[in-house]
Amino acid sequence: MIKTGYTMLPKNKTNNFLTGTSPYSRIIMPLVFLILGFTAFSVDAAILDTLHRDPIAPIILGVTGILFVAIIGRIGARHLGQPPVVGELVMGIVLGNLAIPLGIDLVLVLREGPAIFDVVEQMLAGECVENAAATAFGNTSSNHIASLLQGPHGTELLHVVDAVDVFSRYGIIFLLFLVGLDSSVEEMRKVGTDSTRVAIVGVVLPFLLGLAATRLFLPDLSINSALFIAATLVATSVGITARVLNDLGKSTSQEAKIILGAAVIDDILGLLILAIVSGIIVSGSIDFAHMGLTVLIAVMFLGGAIFFGPYILRFIIGLFRKFDLIEAKMFVSYMFVMTLAWTANLAGLAAIIGAFTAGLILHDAYFSHWGEYKKHEYSIRDLIMPLEVILVPIFFVLMGIQVKLETFFNFESVLIAAVLLIVAVIGKLACGLAARKHVDRWTIGIGMMPRGEVGLIFAAIGSSLEVIDDALFSAIVMMVIVTTLATPILLKLSTRNLK
């Protein structure tokens, strides 16, 4: 028995309820979070006007509301045995598409994605809000968005939208940093020929199939959009595969080692293709000289960071020798990842390339001044993970909010989604054929199939570059969800006979 206030409760019942193992908590806790999350979005602005609040209050309310929605999604995903990213995406889709009947102004503005910032830019240039909204959104939603931005809470809405965008961008930077942290330059050198072949086929084939499919089924689509869709199909989220293989007790199998090794190379090649395609879109033409320059800059950035990074790290860490270990690891990690992300952007590459490179270089062994790194109480991953846990779900919910289900109310949009899904599955399944004959090629192909968070990041960048419209964005997100959901189920079937 334990004492709680004026009552005495059986210890086991209290623990079961608090830890979520009680059947009552599985019903009550999601409902509590659902009510809190909905309340965060539906508080009447007129009531807030009567309060003497800090200007930051709307941002706190909006961002926390999105996080509540993400938590609900995670709870649901875990109860169904699915990756958290799926739950967060689905909850974002639900929230985004209920925003119109429920009249949730913030979500309606968030739903428009990067285009809302184009409206603000045009407004600052002297354009009236009606014309700016019509140019950015067309005639379907421009009037309502314009009225929201001109309303008494238009400024607050823009502040919240801007904050959510910034938090989500920080989230993907930390996410790619942790992805890189799980790998290392040394591991890249050790991966065998099987992993290299699987990675190359898993990048080249989906890209070519995606490009061919878009030109065949969407002949009116611009070459820039086609290139970016093809680049999105290249992505692989091996974190989902690694988790499933670990849960199945197959993480030490030869197939698992090939998949994980290929994933490292896949990430590098995928980011390189993203850099090339983004460069083509920004320059406005397919210039082979410009493409060569983009590749050269990317290779020089990666090579320079990998070569000079350790020297810079040792110098920076030397400046923090008087700090506690936790302070040193936090400050150095944050400064290093943000510096490389900024430098990558300065070089004309995506910031996430710099973040991934920072994770690839940095590891706990650099902090030997505080003793043997294996005996440190906290690793870099342990310290950065709380930032990732809070910020990344905001990104995934935001991606879900921007999925407009009404875009699937016509045959062309459904066709786009179906074509992308088929190409996405075939392109990755076929890469398993590049492995040796004595391994299970089917398992390897399935393991490379989920797009997960990496595919969403690519889609978000395409949306920000304005080469992916609402229909294409929604189709890509649906492809990501299906491939992510299908992978655990198919892996369980394909690994039954693995040793």
Side-chain angles (χ1 to χ4, degrees):
M1 302 284 285
I2 60 171
K3 189 174 182 180
T4 57
Y6 295 101
T7 61
M8 300 290 285
L9 296 174
K11 182 177 180 180
N12 62 331
K13 288 186 178 180
T14 303
N15 288 343
N16 285 344
F17 184 83
L18 293 176
T19 57
T21 57
S22 164
Y24 298 104
S25 69
R26 294 184 179 182
I27 299 173
I28 295 173
M29 294 306 289
L31 286 176
V32 169
F33 282 121
L34 182 62
I35 293 169
L36 288 173
F38 178 75
T39 301
F41 287 110
S42 59
V43 172
D44 188 0
I47 297 176
L48 293 177
D49 278 342
T50 64
L51 304 177
H52 297 286
R53 68 184 191 279
D54 192 293
I56 201 69
I59 296 175
I60 295 173
L61 188 64
V63 173
T64 306
I66 290 177
L67 194 56
F68 272 127
V69 171
I71 292 171
I72 298 166
R74 285 205 169 198
I75 291 172
R78 289 187 176 178
H79 278 299
L80 296 173
Q82 297 298 329
V85 61
V86 174
E88 293 159 359
L89 266 177
V90 171
M91 285 305 301
I93 293 172
V94 171
L95 180 63
N97 288 277
L98 286 179
I100 296 176
L102 295 179
I104 307 175
D105 294 346
L106 172 59
V107 180
L108 287 172
V109 178
L110 286 172
R111 202 167 182 255
E112 300 302 331
I116 199 71
F117 298 111
D118 294 337
V119 175
V120 175
E121 187 175 343
Q122 292 182 51
M123 289 168 59
L124 292 174
E127 188 72 59
C128 70
V129 65
E130 290 87 354
N131 292 341
T135 303
F137 311 125
N139 296 322
T140 54
S141 59
S142 61
N143 291 335
H144 186 58
I145 296 297
S147 65
L148 290 177
L149 297 182
Q150 286 181 311
H153 303 288
T155 303
E156 289 182 355
L157 285 173
L158 288 176
H159 286 164
V160 178
V161 170
D162 188 51
V164 170
D165 182 67
V166 170
F167 284 139
S168 67
R169 290 176 186 270
Y170 267 104
I172 60 174
I173 286 175
F174 287 123
L175 176 62
L176 265 294
F177 173 63
L178 291 178
V179 171
L181 205 62
D182 287 335
S183 309
S184 69
V185 177
E186 207 51 44
E187 287 179 3
M188 290 175 59
R189 292 171 181 162
K190 290 180 180 178
V191 294
T193 54
D194 277 319
S195 295
T196 304
R197 288 198 303 267
V198 168
I200 292 174
V201 175
V203 167
V204 174
L205 187 58
F207 183 83
L208 294 179
L209 287 176
L211 193 58
T214 51
R215 302 312 290 166
L216 178 63
F217 292 98
L218 301 168
D220 296 332
L221 197 66
S222 69
I223 185 63
N224 286 347
S225 298
L227 285 170
F228 216 97
I229 291 173
T232 303
L233 294 172
V234 164
T236 294
S237 175
V238 79
I240 294 166
T241 299
R243 175 65 184 271
V244 174
L245 290 172
N246 184 65
D247 291 344
L248 295 173
K250 307 292 184 180
S251 58
T252 58
S253 66
Q254 191 67 26
E255 287 79 4
K257 292 177 181 178
I258 292 173
I259 292 170
L260 296 176
V264 177
I265 303 173
D266 189 288
D267 285 333
I268 295 292
L269 294 177
L271 291 173
L272 188 60
I273 286 179
L274 175 65
I276 294 172
V277 172
S278 299
I280 291 173
I281 292 168
V282 172
S283 65
S285 62
I286 300 179
D287 185 344
F288 288 102
H290 189 273
M291 287 174 59
L293 180 62
T294 302
V295 173
L296 180 62
I297 291 173
V299 172
M300 287 180 62
F301 173 78
L302 290 170
I306 291 172
F307 181 80
F308 293 107
Y311 297 102
I312 297 172
L313 276 173
R314 292 188 184 98
F315 173 76
I316 296 175
I317 291 172
L319 300 177
F320 287 87
R321 292 198 171 196
K322 299 296 183 182
F323 285 66
D324 292 336
L325 175 61
I326 292 178
E327 290 179 309
K329 282 190 175 182
M330 281 293 293
F331 288 142
V332 170
S333 299
Y334 183 87
M335 290 171 60
F336 190 61
V337 67
M338 292 303 162
T339 299
L340 283 189
W342 177 81
T343 306
N345 185 261
L346 189 67
L349 307 174
I352 58 173
I353 296 177
F356 178 84
T357 306
L360 205 61
I361 299 168
L362 187 60
H363 51 83
D364 292 281
Y366 282 106
F367 296 86
S368 57
H369 173 74
W370 289 268
E372 172 60 34
Y373 76 94
K374 293 182 180 179
K375 297 180 180 178
H376 291 172
E377 186 176 1
Y378 298 104
S379 66
I380 296 171
R381 167 170 278 281
D382 294 334
L383 296 173
I384 297 297
M385 182 65 77
L387 295 173
E388 189 259 1
V389 167
I390 295 296
L391 297 175
V392 171
I394 294 174
F395 170 76
F396 290 140
V397 172
L398 182 60
M399 292 299 98
I401 287 173
Q402 293 173 9
V403 173
K404 298 180 178 179
L405 293 181
E406 65 267 23
T407 60
F408 292 104
F409 291 166
N410 64 79
F411 176 75
E412 184 178 355
S413 297
V414 175
L415 177 64
I416 294 172
V419 168
L420 289 182
L421 180 59
I422 292 171
V423 170
V425 172
I426 293 175
K428 290 298 183 179
L429 285 180
C431 75
L433 299 175
R436 293 189 301 263
K437 292 183 179 180
H438 67 272
V439 296
D440 190 335
R441 294 172 171 179
W442 174 249
T443 296
I444 292 171
I446 294 172
M448 296 294 289
M449 193 172 69
R451 268 46 176 200
E453 66 281 354
V454 184
L456 290 176
I457 292 170
F458 278 32
I461 293 174
S463 180
S464 66
L465 291 173
E466 299 181 355
V467 293
I468 295 179
D469 60 18
D470 292 339
L472 289 173
F473 182 85
S474 300
I476 291 172
V477 173
M478 288 303 175
M479 177 271 293
V480 169
I481 291 175
V482 174
T483 56
T484 303
L485 283 173
T487 298
I489 298 171
L490 294 176
L491 271 180
K492 289 175 184 178
L493 295 174
S494 68
T495 57
R496 286 182 298 184
N497 298 323
L498 291 185
K499 295 181 180 179

